[in-house]
């Protein structure tokens, strides 16, 4: 029976989850035996839920990566630069395959690391970097190689999905639900990476690069989070038959690829609108497939560690796969910024002072921007005398809706910042 010896860098929740899987591997369906040759982490003396004292300890991740006793280097440190990047580069140059769960590293440096892995004839695997226990990287790269994919969308951050779902279900404010998410372990003490949309953007960029044979360029990814979404927005959207979700999107646009993460308003019958709590889901559209949706737990030590172990299992028969599935003969696309003439319907929420002529000013401002109204919902004024108004527009361009945003913001009767979200077309 073949044995693979792992060097594990990072003993946080995922690292300990992986150690636990190794220690009880007789219950798994691995094609061989896995051993741990060495480990490293920031704090050697930290109390951990698994026994690690019997493993050889390294103070330097790069030294572990280069050690002759290691067959596969598993990077679970995190961060796009610093020790993680140095250690992964060291492992590849030492002729070792790498398994990582580090989405930021792959999003920012994946292209260069993939090329380095190709030069040295080793594998760079990162299933665990996107959607945890949902095997979307493998599905896109391998199972759907015979599909001409034109769009990938998904809910790729369980923290944000929990926040939006819980706010709508309970009627609690963003701040209250965020505190609850932190208490339950769904959100970090500093949730910025999640709620800003950056975590989902790293994952979206990776999926787009695989799906469209594109050179990953994170600088072209448009990112907006949920930290500006109010309970009022969720409630008004719901009354108009819509659900607000933080959606990651990658799609073909001419000869390039547009990749973005932002809150979308989805019809209630849309498959992604039905995903609540901390689940992740990815929808792939293409020919001749049509559409397929994968859903499952997207974070946590269990799902992520299982994805890491799945990649390790592939290395019992290493074949130096192209990391993003791009063979040298494939035509490569570029990441591009969305064109101003891209069209969609939009959900618009404004607050206007409750006085004569306010609504007329609003509709005139939209008309002047070239935006027409499909539906309009007006609520009673609040204690400050501001009346919330929700609008569903007809199709209009990004340029027109951007112009409309500026006009609405400058209205004398406007209170606060208008909320504007693209409406996803219904899939049914």
């Amino acid at each position: 029976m073949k044995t693979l010896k792992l060097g594990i860098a990072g003993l946080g929740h995922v690292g300990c989850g992986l150690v636990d899987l190794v220690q009880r591997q007789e219950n798994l369906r691995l094609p061989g035996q896995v051993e741990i040759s060495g480990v490293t982490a920031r704090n050697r003396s930290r109390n951990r839920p698994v026994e690690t004292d019997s493993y050889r300890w390294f103070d330097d991740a790069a030294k572990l990566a280069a050690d002759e006793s290691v067959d596969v280097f598993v990077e679970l440190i995190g961060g796009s630069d610093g020790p993680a990047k140095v250690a992964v580069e060291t492992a590849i140059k030492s002729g070792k395959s790498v398994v990582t769960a580090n989405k930021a590293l792959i999003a920012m440096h994946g292209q260069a690391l993939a090329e380095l892995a190709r030069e040295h004839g080793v594998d760079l695997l990162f299933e665990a970097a996107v959607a945890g226990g949902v095997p979307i990287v493998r599905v896109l790269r391998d199972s759907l190689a015979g599909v001409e994919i034109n769009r990938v969308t998904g809910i790729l951050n369980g923290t944000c999905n929990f926040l939006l779902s819980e706010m709508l279900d309970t009627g609690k404010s963003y701040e209250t639900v965020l505190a609850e998410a932190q208490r339950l372990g769904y959100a970090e003490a500093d949730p910025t990476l999640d709620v800003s949309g950056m975590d989902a953007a790293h994952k979206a960029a990776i999926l787009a690069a695989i799906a469209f044979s594109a050179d990953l360029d994170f600088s072209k990814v448009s990112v907006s989070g949920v930290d500006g979404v109010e309970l009022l927005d969720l409630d008004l959207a719901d009354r108009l038959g819509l659900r607000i979700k933080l959606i990651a999107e990658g799609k073909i646009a001419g000869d390039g690829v547009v990749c973005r993460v932002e809150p979308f308003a989805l019809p209630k019958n849309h498959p992604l609108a039905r995903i609540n709590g901390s689940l992740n889901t990815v929808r792939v559209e293409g020919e001749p497939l049509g559409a397929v949706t994968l859903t499952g737990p997207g974070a946590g030590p269990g799902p992520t560690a299982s994805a890491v172990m799945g990649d390790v299992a592939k290395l019992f028969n290493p074949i130096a796969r192209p990391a993003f599935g791009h063979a040298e003969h494939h035509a490569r696309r570029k990441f591009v910024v969305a064109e101003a003439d891209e069209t969609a319907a939009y959900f618009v929420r404004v607050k206007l002072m409750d006085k004569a002529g306010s609504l007329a000013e609003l509709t005139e401002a939209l008309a002047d921007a070239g935006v027409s109204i499909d539906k309009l919902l007006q609520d009673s004024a609040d204690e400050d005398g501001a009346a919330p108004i929700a609008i569903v527009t007809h199709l209009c361009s990004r340029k027109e809706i951007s112009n409309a945003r500026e006009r609405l913001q400058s209205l004398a009767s406007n209170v606060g910042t208008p909320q504007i979200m693209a409406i996803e077309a219904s899939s049914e």
Side-chain angles (χ1 to χ4, degrees):
M1 181 181 295
K2 185 174 181 178
T3 298
L4 277 183
K5 297 181 179 181
L6 309 184
I8 302 176
L11 292 173
H13 293 307
V14 177
C16 288
L18 179 61
V19 171
D20 177 60
L21 287 178
V22 172
Q23 292 175 349
R24 56 186 181 89
Q25 63 186 284
E26 66 276 3
N27 299 318
L28 306 179
R29 293 177 292 108
L30 301 177
Q33 188 75 17
V34 176
E35 296 179 1
I36 298 176
S37 285
V39 297
T40 185
R42 282 193 297 265
N43 186 343
R44 183 173 186 174
S45 60
R46 177 181 172 186
N47 186 33
R48 295 184 171 90
V50 291
E51 188 279 317
T52 59
D53 291 341
S54 60
Y55 304 126
R56 186 179 171 198
W57 181 270
F58 287 75
D59 291 320
D60 187 324
K63 289 183 178 179
L64 172 62
D67 194 85
E68 292 183 356
S69 69
V70 173
D71 298 320
V72 177
F73 181 65
V74 182
E75 186 275 305
L76 304 172
I77 301 170
S80 61
D81 291 286
K85 181 172 179 284
V86 171
V88 167
E89 291 172 337
T90 300
I92 292 173
K93 291 175 182 177
S94 300
K96 305 177 194 301
S97 289
V98 172
V99 174
T100 179
N102 190 338
K103 65 191 79 68
L105 177 69
I106 299 301
M108 302 303 293
H109 304 292
Q111 206 73 49
L113 292 174
E115 179 60 26
L116 188 65
R118 188 193 65 79
E119 290 175 4
H120 289 271
V122 298
D123 282 296
L124 172 65
L125 302 178
F126 44 84
E127 182 67 67
V130 183
V134 183
I136 185 60
V137 170
R138 189 169 307 172
V139 167
L140 281 178
R141 186 178 55 201
D142 302 330
S143 303
L144 299 184
V147 175
E148 185 180 357
I149 298 171
N150 52 56
R151 192 165 183 246
V152 178
T153 53
I155 295 171
L156 297 179
N157 186 274
T159 299
C160 293
N161 204 46
F162 174 83
L163 291 174
L164 298 177
S165 302
E166 194 72 4
M167 287 168 66
L168 181 60
D169 289 346
T170 65
K172 296 177 182 177
S173 69
Y174 172 86
E175 292 77 15
T176 300
V177 174
L178 176 58
E180 184 176 348
Q182 290 170 320
R183 180 180 62 81
L184 294 172
Y186 293 145
E188 300 289 343
D190 180 0
T192 304
L193 191 64
D194 291 319
V195 300
S196 68
M198 191 59 67
D199 172 83
H202 287 147
K203 301 170 186 176
I206 294 169
L207 294 186
I210 298 170
F212 308 117
S213 293
D215 291 328
L216 201 165
D217 181 358
F218 193 74
S219 69
K220 296 293 194 300
V221 180
S222 172
V223 187
S224 180
V226 302
D227 38 2
V229 178
E230 301 178 19
L231 177 59
L232 173 65
D233 303 323
L234 299 170
D235 178 59
L236 291 174
D238 180 60
R239 291 160 62 185
L240 288 168
L242 302 168
R243 288 280 190 272
I244 295 174
K245 298 288 185 180
L246 185 70
I247 298 296
E249 177 188 46
K251 66 179 183 179
I252 298 293
D255 294 330
V257 173
V258 169
C259 184
R260 62 166 68 97
V261 171
E262 62 187 48
F264 274 68
L266 283 65
K268 291 181 181 179
N269 64 355
H270 193 283
L272 299 186
R274 304 168 187 164
I275 304 301
N276 294 316
S278 59
L279 290 175
N280 278 199
T281 188
V282 182
R283 179 178 171 86
V284 183
E285 302 169 36
E287 298 299 333
L289 174 72
V292 63
T293 303
L294 288 78
T295 301
T304 307
S306 68
V308 171
M309 186 61 91
D311 275 346
V312 169
K314 294 179 73 172
L315 294 174
F316 281 97
N317 295 295
I319 58 173
R321 307 158 182 80
F324 290 90
H326 307 160
E328 291 186 13
H329 66 277
H330 290 164
R332 300 285 276 273
R333 295 185 174 92
K334 299 291 185 183
F335 275 48
V336 297
V337 177
E339 296 289 340
D341 59 358
E342 181 185 79
T343 60
Y346 286 86
F347 168 78
V348 179
R349 188 271 299 155
V350 295
K351 295 179 186 177
L352 299 180
M353 293 304 299
D354 191 17
K355 62 181 182 179
S358 293
L359 188 57
E361 289 179 355
L362 168 68
T363 57
E364 183 179 352
L366 291 175
D368 289 344
V371 177
S372 62
I373 297 173
D374 181 26
K375 299 176 184 177
L376 187 147
L377 174 65
Q378 182 173 1
D379 243 354
S380 299
D382 59 23
E383 60 274 12
D384 297 321
I389 296 174
I391 292 169
V392 172
T393 76
H394 287 110
L395 289 177
C396 62
S397 68
R398 292 176 66 87
K399 181 178 180 180
E400 288 168 333
I401 201 66
S402 178
N403 190 9
R405 183 192 299 273
E406 294 178 3
R407 290 173 182 269
L408 294 177
Q409 184 73 60
S410 64
L411 289 177
S413 57
N414 175 64
V415 178
T417 302
Q419 184 73 267
I420 298 178
M421 303 175 191
I423 297 176
E424 171 77 358
S426 176
S427 64
E428 297 181 3

